[in-house]
Amino acid sequence: MRVLSLCAGDGRDLLGVLATWRRRSEVAGRLIDSDPALVARGRRALAALRLPALAFVRADAGETTAMAGALPADLLLACGIFGNISNADIRRTIRRLPELCAAGGLVVWTRGRFPPDLTPSIRSWFAEEGFEEVEFEPIRGTTMAVGAHRLRAPPRPARRGVRLFRFLPPESRPSARSRSAPASE
């Protein structure tokens, strides 16, 4: 299984699961993050798991060049991204995901449901690009939700040097909105 984790942080989303998964030796891929401290911590955790087919890369995950050699992905994690970029960048990223995924590839993503709730649009953008919704789960009592979509359309050839997204300044990020009032369900 080839995995690609964008804005992976220290990898806890993936490495925590792999630590106890019996088929972890079958996983290959790349975890990408730009923060040197997080990448260093993730590399230490990865070394402890002894999974040589996985690599942490310090790079800009919003640039497809950082993904070269790690595509196509059977599992793509886009967690913690959609609440920190513009709506146009979310749309652009989803539009390009068929270039990053293998046939039948699964994308797991997160986004806050703070008003105005963009998750219905995100879900429809996935459908427009040939993805089938596998799961969408609002996390009760919070603004957070997690979605999983499987590519049903044919994958498209990946292009290097394509800008998917850029993080907004912290004060402009949708995730900076009040977390005290979750969106209605």
Side-chain angles (χ1 to χ4, degrees), residues 34-101:
S34 61
D35 184 293
L38 290 174
V39 170
R41 192 164 55 227
R43 285 178 177 159
R44 286 190 300 274
L46 184 57
L49 291 176
R50 289 184 245 144
L51 298 172
L54 276 176
F56 253 97
V57 175
R58 183 174 170 231
D60 181 351
E63 169 70 47
T64 60
T65 302
M67 302 165 206
L71 300 175
D74 298 299
L75 173 62
L76 189 146
L77 299 176
C79 301
I81 298 173
F82 292 168
N84 295 300
I85 63 178
S86 71
N87 294 355
D89 277 359
I90 296 170
R91 181 69 186 104
R92 179 179 14 271
T93 299
I94 294 170
R95 190 173 290 126
R96 295 285 185 211
L97 289 177
E99 298 175 22
L100 309 180
C101 291

Side-chain angles (χ1 to χ4, degrees), residues 20-183:
T20 59
W21 193 42
R22 65 179 175 81
R23 295 179 56 196
R24 70 184 190 203
S25 64
E26 299 172 28
V27 177
R30 184 169 301 164
L31 297 94
I32 303 170
D33 202 277
S34 61
D35 184 293
L38 290 174
V39 170
R41 192 164 55 227
R43 285 178 177 159
R44 286 190 300 274
L46 184 57
L49 291 176
R50 289 184 245 144
L51 298 172
L54 276 176
F56 253 97
V57 175
R58 183 174 170 231
D60 181 351
E63 169 70 47
T64 60
T65 302
M67 302 165 206
L71 300 175
D74 298 299
L75 173 62
L76 189 146
L77 299 176
C79 301
I81 298 173
F82 292 168
N84 295 300
I85 63 178
S86 71
N87 294 355
D89 277 359
I90 296 170
R91 181 69 186 104
R92 179 179 14 271
T93 299
I94 294 170
R95 190 173 290 126
R96 295 285 185 211
L97 289 177
E99 298 175 22
L100 309 180
C101 291
L106 184 70
V107 176
V108 177
W109 57 275
T110 59
R111 166 69 189 216
R113 296 175 53 246
F114 28 77
D117 183 1
L118 190 65
T119 61
S121 295
I122 292 170
R123 295 163 75 189
S124 98
W125 294 337
F126 270 100
E128 288 172 19
E129 298 306 324
F131 286 86
E132 174 183 70
E133 186 169 280
V134 175
E135 187 76 36
F136 178 76
E137 187 67 36
I139 310 301
R140 289 201 179 275
T142 75
T143 63
M144 291 304 302
V146 62
H149 285 77
R150 184 168 307 283
L151 182 62
R152 293 299 183 203
R156 298 191 299 249
R159 291 185 277 170
R160 289 183 68 135
V162 174
R163 166 64 53 194
L164 301 176
F165 60 85
R166 289 186 200 283
F167 273 42
L168 294 166
E171 66 280 358
S172 300
R173 295 176 184 173
S175 63
R177 295 182 189 145
S178 172
R179 296 174 191 265
S180 62

